[in-house]
Amino acid sequence: MTFIDLPAARRAAGSVRLPGSKSISNRLLLLAAVARGTTELLGLLEADDTRVMIDALRQLGVGFEGSSVQGFTVHGIGGTFPVKQADLFLGNAGTAFRPLTAALALAGGEYRLHGVARMHERPIPCARSARRSTMKPTTDIHRSAFTRPASRWATRCVSVAMSRLSS
């Protein structure tokens, strides 16, 4: 496997044209949300997943202007989310649920992430790993993981992932 070591940058500028993708669109939205300053996003995929991500980020205190047709200006928060308590309905958007879980685990608040009934049946692999690492039963991880406050179990998720990286 090839490894490229990139030095830390203080600022990034430029433009990149990417194909329509729920995953890429939601990752860009989250990165723009936590960045300092404003970010212009053009060509985001117009889908339920991106709509619920934008709604969730707005609930967390991120400012948006524009639309998917004309593009969005995202007013980044420059760090952690200003809203420290939120109940976020994410529908069936796994591409919003997974990255938000990690970001909110580090935000220092109390957040509830939930979705449609089918979403509660879908596993989040790192939540399952976190449960295993704390020796708790995993029999109901699909349902219970989605109704627990994110800051409780997602922090374990991040910890498990980081310990695996360091070993």
Side-chain angles (χ1 to χ4, degrees):
M1 181 161 73
T2 304
F3 177 78
I4 300 173
D5 189 13
L6 300 174
R10 289 182 179 245
R11 179 169 156 69
S15 64
V16 177
R17 182 177 296 275
L18 299 170
S21 160
K22 295 183 295 187
S23 182
I24 292 172
S25 293
N26 278 341
R27 288 175 184 166
L28 288 173
L29 286 165
L30 184 57
L31 288 172
V34 298
R36 185 178 303 120
T38 59
T39 303
E40 300 290 327
L41 296 176
L42 303 171
L44 291 176
L45 186 66
E46 194 169 340
D48 285 342
D49 283 41
T50 51
R51 181 189 50 77
V52 297
M53 176 65 102
I54 291 167
D55 291 345
L57 292 171
R58 280 187 171 129
Q59 281 184 262
L60 294 168
V62 179
F64 285 86
E65 295 173 24
S67 69
S68 58
V69 174
Q70 68 190 58
F72 286 100
T73 298
V74 183
H75 300 281
I77 52 163
T80 62
F81 297 103
V83 174
K84 296 300 180 190
Q85 191 169 26
D87 187 327
L88 303 172
F89 179 78
L90 300 173
N92 197 32
T95 63
F97 204 109
R98 287 182 293 274
L100 271 176
T101 298
L104 293 174
L106 303 172
E110 287 288 323
Y111 305 98
R112 180 173 182 263
L113 306 175
H114 58 102
V116 298
R118 175 69 181 116
M119 178 61 85
H120 294 262
E121 297 169 1
R122 294 166 61 183
I124 294 181
C126 65
R128 191 179 323 128
S129 297
R131 277 279 182 97
R132 284 191 189 126
S133 73
T134 58
M135 307 299 261
K136 293 183 181 174
T138 60
T139 54
D140 200 30
I141 188 66
H142 296 94
R143 281 187 269 305
S144 64
F146 288 91
T147 56
R148 290 175 158 274
S151 59
R152 288 191 193 149
W153 61 266
T155 302
R156 289 190 202 135
C157 242
V158 172
S159 298
V160 168
M162 291 175 78
S163 67
R164 287 186 180 163
L165 286 174
S166 63
S167 56

